[in-house]
Amino acid sequence: MEKNSPIKICIVDDHRLFLDSLKGLVSSISNFNVIEVFNDGDELVTYLKEGNEAPDIVLLDVKMKRMDGIATCAWVKENYPEIKALALSMEVDEDTVLKMLRAGAKGYLLKDIHPNILEHSINEVHTKGFYYTENITSTLLNSIDGKKSHDGVELKEREIEFLKLACSERTYKEIASEMCLSPRTIDNYREILFQKINCKTRIGLVLYAIKEKIVIL
């Protein structure tokens, strides 16, 4: 792609008024080209299956009545891995964020964000491959060398094993069973990693693992 080529964008949202408003906003931003909008994931899938022009970025609503954002994101990741999905939602609950990340979302935004943040996030996802706001986690503002955290503290093998399992669908109780450890020991691993990685939630652990390529979702 040429350096100055517009970023091709598709928008998927089942609230028509929001969809039209978002289309107008994104279209007004220099170097953004909204090539199509859809009311649900089924419409996007059909569009791509028919061989139409693929976008660089998909702005994807999470909660939709027909083929929600999680299912749509997973399908896009499987069939068009070059397309980057950026989730849009009114909710920021841990379970939903984790499911979208596991499905392949490269970012997760709340719908009440400032237009400047939306513009920045689209550019970041397009150029760097990911974008997460500080209200999701501050972890991604840091980087590590190899298996070391941003403050130079090395992650032990069992901590890395726990971190990888924390990125799965398993509960903490199931992780304890998988690692042949007690739930209390797993709690200790979690708290140690929270301190080392400087985050407070499982979302933070997952984003850190993705950012540092400890896991590939």
Side-chain angles (χ1 to χ4, degrees), residues 28 36 49 62 65 81 97 100-101 103 107 116 121 133 146 179 187:
S28 71
E36 192 57 83
K49 283 183 175 180
V62 176
K65 294 179 182 178
V97 176
M100 282 301 296
L101 294 178
N116 290 344
S121 66
T133 54
M179 295 182 68
D187 288 343

Side-chain angles (χ1 to χ4, degrees), residues 59-168:
L59 298 180
L60 185 60
D61 187 17
V62 176
K63 300 290 186 180
M64 293 182 287
K65 294 179 182 178
R66 293 180 55 207
M67 195 170 186
D68 65 12
I70 297 169
T72 304
C73 193
W75 187 91
V76 169
K77 177 184 177 182
E78 176 70 22
N79 295 277
Y80 290 84
E82 69 278 8
I83 298 176
K84 300 178 178 69
L86 184 56
L88 292 170
S89 179
M90 294 297 295
E91 303 175 11
V92 72
D93 66 280
E94 182 173 295
D95 185 57
T96 300
V97 176
L98 288 173
K99 285 180 178 178
M100 282 301 296
L101 294 178
R102 291 176 184 130
K106 304 303 181 182
Y108 194 101
L109 302 174
L110 294 180
K111 289 184 176 181
D112 63 354
I113 59 169
H114 192 280
N116 290 344
I117 295 178
L118 177 63
E119 178 181 359
H120 178 65
S121 66
I122 292 173
N123 281 315
E124 287 287 290
V125 168
H126 183 62
T127 58
K128 296 183 179 180
F130 62 87
Y131 178 81
Y132 301 102
T133 54
E134 289 187 53
N135 70 308
I136 299 296
T137 181
S138 63
T139 301
L140 297 182
L141 299 178
N142 305 299
S143 61
I144 60 172
D145 179 19
K147 294 181 179 179
K148 294 184 179 180
S149 65
H150 66 278
D151 60 0
V153 178
E154 186 174 353
L155 300 181
K156 298 176 181 179
E157 288 187 13
R158 290 290 269 175
E159 291 170 349
I160 294 173
E161 181 182 355
F162 167 78
L163 184 56
K164 290 179 178 180
L165 290 170
C167 295
S168 70

